[in-house]
Amino acid sequence: MSSDIPTPDEARAALAQSDAARRKMAADYTFPPTRHFFAGLLFAIPPTLPIVQEPFGLVGGIAYVLGAVLLIAWDRRRDGLSITAPNILKPSGAFALACGMAMIGLIVLQRELFHAGVDYWLHYVVIATAFLLGVSGSAGWLRLFRRELGADN
Amino acid sequence: MKPPKLELDPHLHQPARLQIATVLANAEKAEFARLREITEVSDSVLSKHLSALSEAGYIKLSKSPVDGRTRTWARFTRTGRKAFAKHMQALQTLVAVAEMAVGKK
């Protein structure tokens, strides 16, 4: 496994090259605004499911899974990189967990509001909140991921 | 004090290969064109590096059609990921030891 041992300067240069590759990867890894919008739409689906009747619940569930698959495929095609769970959670485990918990909270809230028979506009508020959570979650994760890789902004 | 054991990997020593490995350590998969942009080497040079890493068992190459064109994707194997981590650690140790030696003078 071992090769000739480089000098400290060579080792420093190698580390700098690795760092430069990471920074370049970060600099080029961006999402268009439509991607954040699409993430928002995807996040808005789960809190909608408790208030619709079958078969719309099933249709919504299928749309959610298909949407998630499409989003991942779109990211891969646009950026030429596939970022999966370990690297998604590495820079932002707490952030992803917070988004997930907020989403569960919104679904539970929606179910409770539905059983309480509140005015319909309150359901729309919950769905709109989930949409905003999706948009800010997408933008926030991108910022954290780029920062983790060493991007300047 | 016993000097630290430095295990530098000959397969990752070349700058472009180290850059390829850096990208694959931060992403599950990377496409050929993306790796070419980051490493700034020609198609043929990148192909050679990818083949060498693949032969060493460090990466897996796969092809998938997009828009009627076949795209090549590279991903780390477990062996490759471990080798990269060890290599980076060895480089960091080497730099740290050198800096400590300078500090003692």
Side-chain angles (χ1 to χ4, degrees), chain A residues 1 6 24 28 77 79-80 82, chain B residues 8 10 28 31 34 37 67:
Chain A
M1 284 284 275
K24 193 153 195 220
D28 297 344
R77 188 169 163 169
D79 293 309
S82 174
Chain B
L8 284 160
E28 178 71 10
E31 203 227 323
R34 196 80 189 81
E37 282 167 19
D67 297 334

Side-chain angles (χ1 to χ4, degrees), chain B residues 17-31:
Chain B
R17 290 191 201 171
L18 188 64
Q19 290 185 319
I20 293 167
T22 301
V23 173
L24 296 180
N26 289 285
E28 178 71 10
K29 278 184 185 180
E31 203 227 323

Side-chain angles (χ1 to χ4, degrees), chain B residues 31-93:
Chain B
E31 203 227 323
F32 187 91
R34 196 80 189 81
L35 288 172
R36 189 187 51 211
E37 282 167 19
I38 293 170
T39 55
E40 294 178 342
V41 295
S42 67
D43 283 11
S44 58
V45 170
L46 180 59
S47 284
K48 278 181 194 167
H49 286 313
L50 290 178
S51 297
L53 289 171
S54 177
E55 280 167 22
Y58 284 9
I59 63 168
K60 260 190 177 174
L61 298 172
S62 60
K63 291 182 187 294
S64 64
V66 178
D67 297 334
R69 287 172 56 200
T70 304
R71 289 193 187 189
T72 302
W73 290 81
R75 71 187 301 167
F76 251 152
T77 60
R78 192 171 292 192
T79 311
R81 201 171 283 277
K82 275 185 187 171
F84 174 68
K86 264 189 175 178
H87 187 76
M88 290 299 282
Q89 202 174 7
L91 288 173
Q92 283 158 354
T93 305

